[in-house]
Amino acid sequence: NGTLKEEIYMRQPKGFGKGDKVCRLYKSIYGLKQASKAWNERFNEFMSRCGFSRCVEDSCLYVRVGKFGPVYVL
């Protein structure tokens, strides 16, 4: 799950906790509009730390050139 940059609050699910409280989300959850972007940013940071670079023509393609040749991750 990616980390959210915006402040997002949601009502507590039924049966969770007491009263009519809200929760602040720090991580994205399934169904949020921001979830896919947050996940993609986190994945891109991870791939960059592993030595991969994102292809300019196709942002879903990562390339790393090693001593045995290029490695492609789609």
Side-chain angles (χ1 to χ4, degrees):
N1 294 336
T3 304
L4 295 171
K5 295 178 182 175
E6 305 89 1
E7 276 192 31
I8 298 179
Y9 295 88
M10 66 175 271
R11 289 190 199 115
Q12 288 183 348
K14 194 172 187 175
F16 183 83
K18 296 180 181 178
D20 192 25
K21 295 184 179 183
V22 295
C23 300
R24 179 175 178 200
L25 300 177
Y26 291 97
K27 299 278 187 175
S28 62
I29 60 173
Y30 180 79
L32 282 179
K33 291 180 182 179
Q34 299 88 340
S36 59
K37 183 179 181 211
W39 182 87
N40 188 286
E41 288 174 352
R42 184 172 179 191
F43 181 75
N44 189 46
E45 289 173 15
F46 172 77
M47 293 299 284
S48 296
R49 283 195 312 265
C50 291
F52 285 86
S53 59
R54 184 182 258 178
C55 182
V56 177
E57 291 81 14
D58 186 354
S59 61
C60 294
L61 174 64
Y62 291 86
V63 181
R64 183 176 77 180
V65 179
K67 64 180 180 178
F68 298 113
V71 176
Y72 300 101
V73 176
L74 288 171

